[in-house]
Amino acid sequence: MNINATLIGQSIAFAIFVIFCMKFVWPPLAGAIADRQRKIADGLNAAEKAKADLATAGATAEQELAAAKAKAASLIEQANKSANQMIEDAKLQAQAEAERIRQQARDAVDQEISKARESLRAEVAELAVLGAEKILQEKVNSEAHANMLNQLAAKL
């Protein structure tokens, strides 16, 4: 066995092995590595996109929360204004009702005073007629002297 022939044989076998690997083994490995690199890059891009979407969703959620808080505050303020307006309206209605009741009471008192005056005038007229009868010792005709009695009652 010659060392040169062995080296040449081994070199030829190695060259055949390298050519075989370059033709049949290396392309599938390179494709698998490229696929893996592409999947990793896609995963990183998806992670970055998800992170950006999460930040956007967080900002949107904060904006919606702020808008909801502002709307709630506006509704509370509007409800308070409405309640205050209702209270003021009720106060005004109560004051108007109280004034109406006072006016009715004044009118009733005025009517009672008028009735009492008329009654008192009638009684005074009768007393005047009775007094005149006693003075004159004769009966005065009240129908005949009605005008005179009405003038007397009006003066009283």
Side-chain angles (χ1 to χ4, degrees), residues 5-18:
T6 305
L7 282 175
I8 292 174
Q10 285 180 352
S11 294
I12 291 172
F14 183 71
I16 291 172
F17 177 71
V18 167

Side-chain angles (χ1 to χ4, degrees), residues 4-56:
N4 285 335
T6 305
L7 282 175
I8 292 174
Q10 285 180 352
S11 294
I12 291 172
F14 183 71
I16 291 172
F17 177 71
V18 167
I19 291 171
F20 175 78
C21 284
M22 285 178 64
K23 275 257 192 210
F24 298 108
V25 175
W26 187 252
L29 284 177
I33 289 173
D35 286 344
R36 181 75 177 149
Q37 285 176 342
R38 191 172 11 87
K39 285 181 183 178
I40 289 172
D42 289 344
L44 288 175
N45 287 337
E48 288 296 322
K49 185 179 179 195
K51 188 185 281 186
D53 288 345
L54 179 63
T56 303

Side-chain angles (χ1 to χ4, degrees), residues 83-102:
N84 289 339
Q85 183 63 36
M86 288 176 144
I87 289 171
E88 289 300 318
D89 289 345
K91 283 181 183 178
L92 291 175
Q93 286 178 350
Q95 287 174 350
E97 182 67 18
E99 185 60 33
R100 185 185 62 79
I101 290 171
R102 272 183 263 180

